[in-house]
Amino acid sequence: MSKDFRTTLVGGGSPPLQAPKVRQLEEVNVVDEEWITFFHAGQLATLPDEFYLRNLRDYDGDSDLPEIAALVEEYGQLCEDDYAEWAGDEFGKWEPRSIAAEKRIEYKKKYDVEILVPDSLLHLWEARPHLDFLRFIRDGWIIASATGSLEEYGQYFADMPHGGSVESIVRHWLNVLNAGLRVSHARVSHPLVQEEGATIFGASCVQLYNHILEGARYKVCMNESCAQIFVRQQGRAAKDQRKSEGVKYCSSKCARAQAQRELRRRRNAATHSPSDLALEAQREESRVMTMLALAEDRRRQGMPSLGTLLRQKRLELDLDDRIIRRRAAVDAPILIAIEADDFRRYEGQHVHMERWLASLAKLYEMDGKELVARYRSDRLLELSH
């Protein structure tokens, strides 16, 4: 982490926080297309490692109710009722909070409930914002880890309807994460009394805190069909022995899949004659020289960079990062790197980058082949200097 970020861990030097267990639910149902009803199962379970990175990747403020119901049924209670784990700030999240409170009153009247047990209900306007909060702090720290600053992340949100100054965005980031970490406060337990357990929101914040504490480095899985952001490879090793250094794949399964893919390519290449390989090498050299010449010509003419074009198109279409993530499967840290023309941040991810660009082109109604060709030439020019 760069010194420019200047994040201070209050009580720094302490050991990692113990991951709290999450309350498990049963009889999870969707009611009136806006409520999830459930009962506490009386059991606690630990979230999977890197849950906030892997399992929550496909969930955010656009998730529908059945998706969220499936999430809590499998992993446990998402959040406390009435935004108990988040106190609110200048980012304007009071609207969903007030709507959720009104909906609880409507539910009580509609079903003639004299004593409404809050923890047996979850409204869509409670679930979605908490998923948004987790996405916000997760993506923010991934970008901070890569750049050493939240300024780039702040500039990205400044153009959004809910954006603001860099200072306000960083303050919001701190407020959300610190609120979630309240689940880790010092407490006394006894073996005869089972702990109440945490929520997915609080436990995920603890996972992120522990990665901040250790200075974890985020990587993108190099399996061409994956592109998962991860810290440690999951697979054969025991939990406390999972590797974080010198690994290219998020799991042993992805490592095997990519190894088999590359083996097939080597076997196919072996069937070609030396003259065929020499001819292909000459053609590739010619293509590279042509791409470099085109990129240099665009730069001399002062034409907008690829990242600038894509950023302008996103703003023109008024698309926020949630829509882009859902429709184009491009994570916010990746999109920010693309728009910043940062060819080195995800060096070695050429196949993924071209696929991400093709997805963006489809969403933006642009020529995918032209964007990929532009990326290849601009990348070559950047790396040649």
Side-chain angles (χ1 to χ4, degrees):
M1 174 57 59
S2 167
K3 294 180 180 179
D4 294 338
F5 185 59
R6 298 190 299 276
T7 301
T8 300
L9 293 175
V10 179
S14 59
L17 297 176
Q18 182 178 357
K21 293 186 176 182
V22 176
R23 304 166 200 153
Q24 299 301 285
L25 309 179
E26 58 186 8
E27 297 185 38
V28 178
N29 295 296
V30 174
V31 176
D32 294 341
E33 299 182 350
E34 61 179 348
W35 289 101
I36 297 174
T37 63
F38 54 85
F39 292 97
H40 286 136
Q43 298 175 341
L44 304 177
T46 302
L47 289 180
D49 287 345
E50 301 185 14
F51 178 89
Y52 78 99
L53 280 176
R54 300 169 183 256
N55 304 79
L56 282 181
R57 183 183 186 187
D58 298 324
Y59 295 90
D60 58 20
D62 284 337
S63 299
D64 60 34
L65 208 58
E67 288 176 329
I68 300 173
L71 174 72
V72 300
E73 185 171 31
E74 182 172 1
Y75 297 108
Q77 188 171 346
L78 174 60
C79 57
E80 299 282 5
D81 67 286
D82 194 30
Y83 291 72
E85 294 171 286
W86 176 76
D89 58 22
E90 72 280 0
F91 248 59
K93 292 297 183 181
W94 293 108
E95 181 183 8
R97 183 176 187 173
S98 61
I99 291 176
E102 292 174 2
K103 290 292 184 179
R104 286 183 175 274
I105 296 173
E106 292 177 8
Y107 185 95
K108 183 176 180 179
K109 291 180 179 178
K110 179 176 181 178
Y111 292 99
D112 194 25
V113 180
E114 293 185 4
I115 300 177
L116 184 62
V117 181
D119 285 345
S120 65
L121 292 169
L122 177 65
H123 192 268
L124 185 62
W125 282 67
E126 294 168 334
R128 279 181 169 175
H130 280 86
L131 289 170
D132 257 352
F133 300 158
L134 288 174
R135 176 188 57 83
F136 173 75
I137 59 175
R138 174 195 63 206
D139 292 347
W141 186 254
I142 293 173
I143 294 164
S145 298
T147 65
S149 171
L150 274 178
E151 183 174 357
E152 188 172 302
Y153 195 59
Q155 290 174 347
Y156 178 77
F157 272 91
D159 296 312
M160 303 297 184
H162 54 286
S165 67
V166 173
E167 181 184 359
S168 68
I169 294 169
V170 172
R171 182 181 295 112
H172 179 58
W173 184 88
L174 292 170
N175 287 345
V176 173
L177 180 56
N178 287 332
L181 289 175
R182 291 172 188 162
V183 70
S184 62
H185 64 277
R187 59 192 181 278
V188 177
S189 63
H190 192 282
L192 292 179
V193 180
Q194 184 182 37
E195 291 219 20
E196 293 184 2
T199 63
I200 289 176
F201 179 80
S204 295
C205 288
V206 171
Q207 286 188 346
L208 173 57
Y209 171 87
N210 285 336
H211 279 166
I212 295 174
L213 183 66
E214 72 172 82
R217 293 176 60 245
Y218 293 93
K219 296 171 278 291
V220 179
C221 180
M222 293 187 68
N223 180 1
E224 295 175 17
S225 60
C226 180
Q228 169 70 53
I229 296 176
F230 71 103
V231 173
R232 287 178 173 80
Q233 184 183 88
Q234 296 183 351
R236 303 170 184 168
K239 178 180 178 181
D240 58 350
Q241 295 176 335
R242 288 176 178 162
K243 295 174 62 178
S244 61
E245 296 297 329
V247 293
K248 300 179 181 179
Y249 307 101
C250 69
S251 67
S252 57
K253 181 180 178 181
C254 276
R256 289 193 299 271
Q258 186 64 24
Q260 292 170 357
R261 185 179 292 113
E262 293 174 357
L263 177 60
R264 289 193 296 270
R265 288 172 178 165
R266 288 195 296 270
R267 287 174 176 172
N268 290 336
T271 61
H272 291 79
S273 66
S275 59
D276 290 337
L277 294 176
L279 180 60
E280 181 59 32
Q282 292 176 358
R283 290 173 176 171
E284 179 62 23
E285 183 180 2
S286 177
R287 284 195 293 267
V288 168
M289 297 303 295
T290 300
M291 287 191 292
L292 280 172
L294 290 172
E296 289 175 345
D297 188 54
R298 284 193 294 267
R299 182 169 293 185
R300 281 196 300 268
Q301 295 181 36
M303 296 177 63
S305 67
L306 175 62
T308 301
L309 288 175
L310 290 172
R311 178 179 175 83
Q312 290 173 346
K313 190 66 175 180
R314 172 174 60 81
L315 296 176
E316 176 187 328
L317 297 174
D318 194 24
L319 297 176
D320 67 26
D321 74 310
R322 292 187 308 186
I323 295 176
I324 296 171
R325 279 173 21 83
R326 299 282 287 187
R327 297 184 185 176
V330 180
D331 290 330
I334 305 296
L335 180 61
I336 291 175
I338 291 174
E339 291 185 351
D341 293 300
D342 191 339
F343 299 101
R344 299 181 186 275
R345 188 178 307 177
Y346 296 103
E347 178 65 15
Q349 304 292 336
H350 314 316
V351 174
H352 292 323
M353 193 67 76
E354 292 180 8
R355 191 175 69 211
W356 290 323
L357 286 168
S359 297
L360 290 174
K362 184 176 180 180
L363 178 62
Y364 296 169
E365 297 183 350
M366 302 173 73
D367 188 328
K369 291 183 179 180
E370 181 179 339
L371 282 185
V372 170
R374 175 74 181 273
Y375 160 73
R376 290 174 178 173
S377 61
D378 287 0
R379 174 184 165 275
L380 281 170
L381 182 60
E382 181 68 24
L383 298 181
S384 66
H385 290 161

